[in-house]
Every structure is written in structure tokens, then in C-alpha cells.
Amino acid sequence: MSEGITVTPVARVRDVGKTYGPVQVLDVGELAFPSGEIVGLLGENGAGKSTLVNVLAGTVTPDTGVVEVTGAEVPLGSPTAAAHAGVAMVSQEFPLVGQMSVAENLFLGLRPEGSSRVFVDWRRLNEQAQAVLDELGLHIRARQRLDQLSVAQRQLVEIAKAWHRAPRLLILDEPTSALGPVEAELVLGLARRHAAAGGAVVFIGHRFDEVLALCSRLVVLRNGKVVADLPRADATEEVLVRHMVGQQLAEHPPLAAVDDSAEPCLRVTDLTAEGLGPVSLTVNRGEVVGVAGLMGAGRSRLLHTVFGAQPATGGSMTLAGRPYHPRSPRDGIASGVVLVPEDRKLQSLLPDAPIRWNVTLAVLPRLSSGPLLRPRRDRSEATRAVELTQVRCRGTEQPIRELSGGNQQRAVLGRAVATDPSLLLLDEPTRGVDVGAKAGIYGLIADAAERGSAVLVVSSELEELLRICHRVVVLARGRVVAELDRAHFDKETIVAHAAGLAAAPQGVR
């Protein structure tokens, strides 16, 4: 490039500020996103990342500032104007329509080729949508209803929807949080393809290995301000954490020892259900057992079947040495089993209710006198749970929807731990939360195990399983293909078993 030539970035924000009441959530002087560059946007939950990208996408109107795309100023607070300028965003919240087909969701706001202003050529719409899915290597049928898909499949549809619009600026907000390693690599490959074709990518992620492998530049926000803007060569995990939280994170204490000679809390023998099994495994009191596998391996189905949310079709289970055959979640809860599901927004929260309701919901019987709730005990229990889980909030009467994702997840986990469960089932417990919140959640899991709970945890983040688990069970096509103790822990071994590349299971008991 000749000296003195100025290249217009794909997108730029200048003097962007946003406040909610007395709290300033965004104060960014200038930030540019050049052609061919993948910019990693990092920060704790509540640091301003989502607010910034929503300003770029037009879904949040800033109080001050300018947004430019290819040198032209874009009207603020207009998703339509941002889309026409060439901005597409993959959101954590999946703004899709469950009652419509995958094809209809891919073409939301667009007119398929061959369709008029009045009539839609449904055959061509389905063909075009299937071509997009096939091009991206997604094994999803265009005619399938969206609400029949898993969370991970819906995430892939949202990514395909953004890709299909051929944007100039592609914003990926936690795009791999619900995905296994193979599907996550597919998404990262799409980001690289987009940048190589001259587009710009903004990538929000909490998996440091992904961010450092993918991005050429790392921008860190804290309290709504840019506190670091680093080339990849200057960014290490330690440097990024220090900028994100303002200090070094404490080392995780070693896992507490487990008494393997004791009667297992949970014993599963040849368990089968729709899309699952046969599965055999044990979880001891005080033990954290991880469940790994690729998308569709049956990890969530296993937890749902143990909890009673999906009926078992064969096999047997025992809980604390007694036969256990739950026919509904009510049976599971009555037996001391608690599930924290993958989709907290739809399955775990009362979003418009206060934090107090959300954290005491599971323990209302012990806070009541007969049919009447004792308000003082309810408030006291809520305050105790919030302090225990270190939920950052104005108070327990604050609506939980106003909290960041990490704080919502802490509240959900606090509710589960408050029941002192015999068996704690966790499905993607740190999905979409930052490094600081993860450390707090890991502490909650360790505390539950030390108090005697057995913990069975599903996670797509292999580093997470290696860090918090005593053992890892690997599923493939609904079956256990390996059981690994800490002496055999490494990502390559887990992925090889999950993908069917390993010759034989290791360490199966």
C-alpha cells in the first residue's frame, strides 16, 4: 500500500455514549473495523460489548455518537438502515420464529427469487434455503419447523441467516457458545472466509483459545470504555484477563478427593430413551462428572431423562442406593434431583419477575407456613442466595431481566444449590458468561460437590470439563464411548472419542 493513502474501514463508531438511568453503559471515543480483519471484542458481562454491537446493528439507539459503514453515516437506532448498509449480526438470543420453517426464517425480511410482491414461490424458497444450508455444511432440512431444532441447531440457522445476507460487517455475538468443537470450528471457518473475502468481522467470545486463534486484533471493554486495543502478538490470556477484570484471577483450588468406595449417588444401567442409549455410568457423592460429545450426541437427552423430563424406554437407575424411575420433573425434584437447563431464558427464568422470586422459587415450601408465604423469610433467603452467589444487582427486587447473562446464570445456579440437591444436573452452566463470572460459577459447583452433592455437567467447552471434573464421560450417537479419569484428560483424546476416531474407549469402568 502506498504511503499516505487512507483506507476507509468497513465500519467505524465515533463518540458513542449510552446511559440507562444514572448508569453509563457505553462511552467509546473511536473504534474502527477494517476490511479483512477479525476483531475480538472482550469484556466481562455488563462491560458494554452487547450494547456496542447492538448500536452497530441499529437495535440500540445511543444517546450520542456516529456510526459509519464504508464511510457513509448510518441512521442511528434503525435495524433496517443498518441491514441495508451491510451490517448483519448473529445474536445470542436467536431472533427467529419458532412456528415457521427454517427456510422462512432464513428469508425473513427478504423476497425469494421468483416471488412477487403478493405471492411467494414456496418451492423455490425451500430450494434456495436448502442450497444455503448445504453450502455451509449444515445437516438441517429447510422445510423443518424451527421449534423442532435443538438450541445448537437454532444457533447454526441464525448464522446461516446472517451469512445469506452477504454483509460487509458480520457481527458474531457468542456464536459458538451452544456448539460442540466440530460445529464451532465450522463457524470459525466462516468468519475466516468472510474476512478473506474483504469483509470485517466483530467476534464476541469467552473461549480464549477460540478468540486467540481466530482474531488478529483484540479490543477489551470495561465499564463501557475501551481499556485495551491490542494486536494478536501482544495479547495473551493473562494480559486479557487483567484488562477485563482489572486484576489477576485467583488460581482454582485443586479438586477435593472423592470416596470411590462409597455407594454411588447415581447409578445408570443400560438406560435408553428416544435418541439415547444404552448408557451406563455412575456418579458418586461429592464427585463432578463431565459429559462431552459432539452436537446431537445425546448429552442433553441424558440429563433430561435422568431428571424425568424425557421418559426412559429401558434400563434402570438407582439414586442413593434405591430404585429411581422418575416419570416427570416433579418426581425428580421430589427425589432431590435438580436440573439447570441449557436455555436459561426460556427454561429457567421468570424474566419480568424480581430476582427474589427467581432465586427462592425452588424452596418456597420451607419458607411458608401452610399455604401462606412468610415474606420476611422469603426476603432473607433471597438476600442470602444473592450474597452466596455474588450476583451483582441493585437489590433482590430488581427484575432479573435487567441483569447481565452471567449474573442471571449465577442466580439460576444459586436457586439450584439452595435446595441442597442429592444430584445436580448442569447443562452448559457457563454458556454466554465471561471469564470472571465463570470463575464464580466454578466455585459454586465445587462448593456443591464439597457439601456432598453429586454433579453431572454437560459442557461444549472442553477446557471447562478438564478444569472442574473428576471424570469425563464421552457420548457419541447416544452411547458412552469412553470414560476418562484425570490421568487421561486432554482435549485431543476427548475429541477423538467423540468423533469416532479413537480405536477403543480408555479407562471405562
Side-chain angles (χ1 to χ4, degrees):
M1 184 180 298
S2 301
E3 189 174 337
I5 294 179
T6 301
V7 178
T8 301
V10 171
R12 186 203 315 264
V13 297
R14 290 189 284 112
D15 301 322
V16 171
K18 179 66 179 177
T19 60
Y20 289 107
V23 180
Q24 183 160 34
V25 296
L26 200 62
D27 181 15
V28 175
E30 181 166 347
L31 199 55
F33 305 99
S35 170
E37 190 167 76
I38 303 176
V39 179
L41 195 58
L42 301 174
E44 291 192 276
N45 290 108
K49 307 183 303 296
S50 292
T51 304
L52 176 58
V53 295
N54 277 287
V55 167
L56 281 164
T59 53
V60 166
T61 305
D63 303 321
T64 61
V66 173
V67 174
E68 297 174 354
V69 177
T70 59
E73 192 169 327
V74 179
L76 300 174
S78 172
T80 301
H84 286 164
V87 179
M89 183 168 75
V90 175
S91 168
Q92 292 185 58
E93 305 305 328
F94 311 156
L96 302 169
V97 183
Q99 292 75 26
M100 297 174 70
S101 71
V102 170
E104 289 171 298
N105 275 279
L106 287 185
F107 279 88
L108 279 175
L110 302 177
R111 184 178 298 115
E113 294 178 14
S115 298
S116 68
R117 290 182 178 273
V118 179
F119 297 104
V120 174
D121 187 333
W122 294 105
R123 182 181 62 80
R124 292 196 65 180
L125 179 141
N126 287 314
E127 289 175 351
Q128 291 169 38
Q130 193 64 58
V132 172
L133 297 169
D134 293 344
E135 177 196 357
L136 300 182
L138 308 183
H139 302 294
I140 298 172
R141 291 184 292 108
R143 296 175 183 271
Q144 190 169 2
R145 266 178 56 133
L146 191 90
D147 56 11
Q148 296 174 345
L149 303 183
S150 67
V151 171
Q153 288 173 317
R154 278 181 273 153
Q155 176 76 83
L156 293 173
V157 170
E158 177 68 7
I159 291 166
K161 175 185 166 188
W163 180 269
H164 174 51
R165 281 152 173 75
R168 294 182 176 92
L169 176 67
L170 178 61
I171 301 170
L172 301 175
D173 188 356
E174 288 290 337
T176 63
S177 59
L179 305 180
V182 172
E183 297 79 18
E185 186 53 43
L186 182 151
V187 174
L188 302 184
L190 293 178
R192 295 186 183 100
R193 280 172 58 183
H194 185 70
V201 179
V202 179
F203 185 88
I204 297 178
H206 294 308
R207 300 178 183 177
F208 280 136
D209 58 336
E210 283 184 353
V211 172
L212 294 174
L214 179 69
C215 301
S216 54
R217 181 171 142 232
L218 288 306
V219 173
V220 182
L221 294 181
R222 188 169 74 241
N223 298 325
K225 300 177 183 290
V226 175
V227 295
D229 191 340
L230 307 170
R232 170 62 184 87
D234 295 340
T236 64
E237 182 171 336
E238 292 75 16
V239 168
L240 295 173
V241 168
R242 187 169 64 250
H243 283 301
M244 288 170 64
V245 303
Q247 60 185 0
Q248 294 289 123
L249 286 180
E251 290 292 322
H252 291 278
L255 292 173
V258 176
D259 183 5
D260 291 330
S261 64
E263 175 70 26
C265 175
L266 174 70
R267 185 187 297 277
V268 174
T269 305
D270 296 329
L271 181 70
T272 61
E274 182 182 354
L276 180 71
V279 169
S280 297
L281 58 84
T282 61
V283 188
N284 297 308
R285 284 177 53 85
E287 185 178 33
V288 182
V289 175
V291 183
L294 306 183
M295 189 176 72
R299 297 169 299 168
S300 295
R301 289 180 183 273
L302 172 62
L303 297 194
H304 290 176
T305 304
V306 171
F307 185 53
Q310 172 173 299
T313 56
S316 63
M317 292 186 282
T318 61
L319 191 65
R322 298 181 178 180
Y324 172 62
H325 39 81
R327 292 166 293 182
S328 68
R330 182 188 295 270
D331 291 343
I333 293 170
S335 300
V337 181
V338 174
L339 170 67
V340 176
E342 178 181 11
D343 193 336
R344 64 173 173 265
K345 295 281 187 185
L346 294 179
Q347 299 172 307
S348 295
L349 297 179
L350 303 173
D352 294 320
I355 297 167
R356 174 171 58 86
W357 290 18
N358 278 274
V359 299
T360 63
L361 188 63
V363 292
L364 289 180
R366 77 173 188 223
L367 305 178
S368 304
S369 295
L372 300 177
L373 180 67
R374 301 175 66 178
R376 182 176 297 178
R377 292 188 64 181
D378 184 47
R379 289 192 294 269
S380 175
E381 178 69 21
T383 300
R384 188 188 71 83
V386 164
E387 291 175 350
L388 173 68
T389 55
Q390 298 181 344
V391 175
R392 297 179 185 175
C393 60
R394 297 194 303 269
T396 59
E397 297 306 312
Q398 182 181 359
I400 200 166
R401 58 178 164 75
E402 295 181 358
L403 301 185
S404 66
N407 283 302
Q408 288 178 352
Q409 189 73 342
R410 287 190 192 201
V412 169
L413 274 168
R415 181 177 68 206
V417 171
T419 66
D420 196 21
S422 298
L423 176 63
L424 181 59
L425 306 174
L426 304 175
D427 198 351
E428 303 288 358
T430 64
R431 176 175 175 255
V433 304
D434 63 69
V435 63
K438 282 184 180 181
I441 289 170
Y442 295 159
L444 290 174
I445 294 171
D447 289 346
E450 289 180 12
R451 289 198 299 271
S453 294
V455 183
L456 191 60
V457 54
V458 166
S459 177
S460 298
E461 297 192 40
L462 298 185
E463 295 85 356
E464 182 164 274
L465 295 180
L466 301 183
R467 175 172 287 179
I468 67 174
C469 296
H470 296 89
R471 288 184 290 125
V472 171
V473 173
V474 185
L475 295 186
R477 297 177 298 281
R479 298 169 179 263
V480 174
V481 295
E483 184 177 339
L484 310 169
D485 58 28
R486 293 193 67 80
H488 297 94
F489 275 7
D490 64 74
K491 292 195 294 184
E492 291 75 16
T493 300
I494 292 174
V495 172
H497 283 296
L501 302 177
Q506 298 180 19
V508 176
R509 295 198 257 189

